[in-house]
């Protein structure tokens, strides 16, 4: 039986990803000065404007406009024609202190709580499968590699007329549950004025798509490169950007559930982030240790309570063990309480800005991506 599955990614210059990166750059600066910082920072961008808002409890001394401009410069927004200029854009901030009603349930030893509780209620999911060496679904893995390659050839000047904004989409054909070929590739990239579309399509096909997807391409693969034609006006000029609006891009490309909480701009006391990373770690290591070929792990929490309310494991018929047996394996081998998760992954360090583009999972440099032996 054949079926198609599609996932998308966006470049670091996409307006939503710009906002994610600014939010996480502010988080990292807070944690670099004060590891106990509590951060919940949102960002919005539109033509020539960045707005930063949220809650912040920290001893760090911050220059938020400087952080935002540095991030925009690193992405490549250095021309007003791109939709925003790092050095001249307006930056507005509205940041307040974290609510003490939330803090008392999250800070260890305060109020009625003797250990650190979850920073919010909610459910978080982690997913892994044996389709790639990163144990990620193939469609989102290829989509991320395409957008990252777009940025790399832009910054290296290999394709010197590309601009920061861009997207990819990959449709993979599955046969009996296994990926067999790439059915369709869609790539759209912002570019300078006056570029011939025929040249752009040839350059992106030869220098971006084929190097990334080569093993899965065949004579029947379809390509849509800048399918609307001209894409000069992009970035925040074309679309407003918001922190946390690319949660499916950030995770598994739609393969697997999502609890709904975004990651960027949140310190790891927020289980939206830390428990989602822990759930991925659990799922990945259940697959890597041979317990299953495909795995989804769900964790749920109540605000201020340390123990998870529920633990869920689904192996989609790829395991010889029952769900109940696998839940016991999880309880015995993995950190589940917020304080345990933070300590296990050493999460109070400034490690989050790199996660804000090209996915939070699949990069072996991230501590929640390492492999362990389950005993």
């Amino acid at each position: 039986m054949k079926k198609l599955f599609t996932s998308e990614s966006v470049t670091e210059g996409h307006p939503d990803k710009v906002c994610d990166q600014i939010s996480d750059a502010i988080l990292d600066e807070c944690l670099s000065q004060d590891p106990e910082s509590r951060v919940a920072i949102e960002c919005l961008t539109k033509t020539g404007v960045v707005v930063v808002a949220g809650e912040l409890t920290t001893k760090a001394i911050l220059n938020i406009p400087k952080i935002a401009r540095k991030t925009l410069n690193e992405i490549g927004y250095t021309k007003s024609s791109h939709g925003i200029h790092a050095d001249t854009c307006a930056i507005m901030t509205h940041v307040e202190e974290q609510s003490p009603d939330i803090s008392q349930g999250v800070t260890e030893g305060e109020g009625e709580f003797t250990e650190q509780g979850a920073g919010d209620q909610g459910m978080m999911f982690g997913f892994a499968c044996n389709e790639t060496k990163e144990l990620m679904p193939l469609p989102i893995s290829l989509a991320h590699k395409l957008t990252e390659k777009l940025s790399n050839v832009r910054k290296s000047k290999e394709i010197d007329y590309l601009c920061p904004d861009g997207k990819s989409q990959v449709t993979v054909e599955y046969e009996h549950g296994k990926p067999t070929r790439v059915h369709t590739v869609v790539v759209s990239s912002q570019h300078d004025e006056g570029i011939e579309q025929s040249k752009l399509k040839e350059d992106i096909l030869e220098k971006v798509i084929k190097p990334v997807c080569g093993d899965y391409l065949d004579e029947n693969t379809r390509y849509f490169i800048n399918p609307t034609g001209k894409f000069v006006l992009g970035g925040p000029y074309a679309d407003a950007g918001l922190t946390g609006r690319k949660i499916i891009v950030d995770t598994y490309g739609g393969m697997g559930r999502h609890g709904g909480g975004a990651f960027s701009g949140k310190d790891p006391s927020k289980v939206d982030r830390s428990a989602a990373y822990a759930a991925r770690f659990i799922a990945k290591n259940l697959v890597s240790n041979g317990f299953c070929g495909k795995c989804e792990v769900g964790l749920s929490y109540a605000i201020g309570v340390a123990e998870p309310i529920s633990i869920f494991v689904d192996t989609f018929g790829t395991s010889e063990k029952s769900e109940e047996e696998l839940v016991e394996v999880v309880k015995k081998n993995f950190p589940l309480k917020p304080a345990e998760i933070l300590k296990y992954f050493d999460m109070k360090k400034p490690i989050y800005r790199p996660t804000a583009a090209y996915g939070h999972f699949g990069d072996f440099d991230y501590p929640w991506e390492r492999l362990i032996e389950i005993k």
Side-chain angles (χ1 to χ4, degrees):
M1 183 180 72
K2 294 181 179 180
K3 71 173 185 176
L4 302 178
F5 193 90
T6 302
S7 295
E8 71 160 347
S9 180
V10 297
T11 66
E12 64 199 74
H14 185 281
D16 294 333
K17 281 285 127 198
V18 169
C19 292
D20 285 342
Q21 289 167 91
I22 292 173
S23 294
D24 270 342
I26 293 168
L27 168 63
D28 277 358
E29 183 58 31
C30 289
L31 293 174
S32 70
Q33 297 183 44
D34 177 10
E36 303 303 321
S37 295
R38 296 281 165 74
V39 181
I41 290 293
E42 313 294 340
C43 184
L44 175 150
T45 186
K46 186 53 185 164
T47 312
V49 178
V50 173
V51 180
V52 178
E55 297 79 53
L56 202 57
T57 302
T58 183
K59 296 176 183 176
I61 299 172
L62 300 175
N63 184 332
I64 289 176
K66 184 177 180 181
I67 296 169
R69 294 187 196 282
K70 182 175 185 288
T71 304
L72 287 166
N73 262 304
E74 290 172 350
I75 293 168
Y77 277 112
T78 56
K79 296 179 182 178
S80 296
S81 60
H82 290 166
I84 194 166
H85 192 302
D87 298 332
T88 61
C89 65
I91 298 178
M92 295 177 278
T93 64
H94 187 73
V95 178
E96 296 178 341
E97 197 170 20
Q98 183 187 47
S99 163
D101 295 344
I102 295 174
S103 180
Q104 71 171 351
V106 180
T107 303
E108 186 173 347
E110 288 193 9
E112 301 175 10
F113 302 91
T114 57
E115 61 180 325
Q116 179 176 334
D120 201 353
Q121 70 177 44
M123 62 285 189
M124 298 81 207
F125 292 96
F127 184 87
C129 60
N130 56 14
E131 294 179 12
T132 64
K133 69 178 189 301
E134 303 90 357
L135 302 183
M136 288 286 286
L138 182 62
I140 190 64
S141 178
L142 292 177
H144 282 324
K145 289 173 181 177
L146 285 171
T147 50
E148 191 166 16
K149 187 71 170 176
L150 266 183
S151 289
N152 289 342
V153 298
R154 168 177 62 88
K155 290 181 173 181
S156 70
K157 307 294 185 184
E158 188 177 352
I159 306 180
D160 60 4
Y161 54 81
L162 297 184
C163 301
D165 197 0
K167 285 186 170 185
S168 72
Q169 185 172 284
V170 178
T171 300
V172 172
E173 184 176 289
Y174 286 77
E175 191 165 356
H176 303 295
K178 300 293 183 181
T180 56
R181 59 183 291 269
V182 167
H183 178 276
T184 304
V185 180
V186 183
V187 174
S188 296
S189 180
Q190 186 186 13
H191 58 84
D192 289 337
E193 187 73 71
I195 301 301
E196 290 289 336
Q197 289 299 307
S198 58
K199 175 174 174 52
L200 181 144
K201 290 179 179 181
E202 181 181 357
D203 282 348
I204 288 180
L205 178 62
E206 296 300 326
K207 299 177 182 180
V208 177
I209 296 174
K210 287 184 177 179
V212 169
C213 303
D215 291 344
Y216 291 96
L217 304 176
D218 60 28
E219 65 277 7
N220 295 316
T221 300
R222 301 187 302 168
Y223 304 99
F224 297 95
I225 301 170
N226 279 25
T228 63
K230 184 178 176 181
F231 183 9
V232 171
L233 299 176
Y237 177 89
D239 292 294
L242 290 170
T243 298
R245 200 161 57 179
K246 286 290 177 283
I247 58 175
I248 300 303
V249 172
D250 284 342
T251 53
Y252 309 102
M255 193 175 289
R257 298 173 179 87
H258 194 295
F263 301 151
S264 291
K266 297 177 181 177
D267 76 86
S269 74
K270 281 77 172 171
V271 285
D272 273 348
R273 183 165 215 161
S274 54
Y277 290 176
R280 159 65 178 172
F281 179 73
I282 295 167
K284 183 176 185 179
N285 279 284
L286 287 175
V287 172
S288 71
N289 278 267
F291 284 91
C292 49
K294 183 178 180 181
C295 184
E296 186 170 57
V297 172
L299 304 172
S300 69
Y301 293 85
I303 188 167
V305 179
E307 291 279 359
I309 302 301
S310 67
I311 304 170
F312 157 91
V313 180
D314 187 353
T315 61
F316 308 92
T318 66
S319 179
E320 295 180 0
K321 291 185 176 294
S322 68
E323 178 180 334
E324 291 80 6
E325 290 174 313
L326 289 172
V327 168
E328 289 305 311
V329 171
V330 170
K331 289 179 178 179
K332 290 176 183 177
N333 288 275
F334 297 99
L336 297 171
K337 296 180 181 180
E340 294 174 346
I341 293 170
L342 266 61
K343 183 178 180 181
Y344 190 89
F345 297 118
D346 201 9
M347 292 182 112
K348 294 183 180 181
K349 290 184 175 180
I351 58 175
Y352 299 102
R353 163 71 196 282
T355 69
Y358 314 118
H360 293 246
F361 308 118
D363 187 329
F364 285 97
D365 288 338
Y366 300 152
W368 49 88
E369 287 296 307
R370 69 176 182 262
L371 300 177
I372 63 169
E373 183 180 350
I374 299 176
K375 298 179 181 179

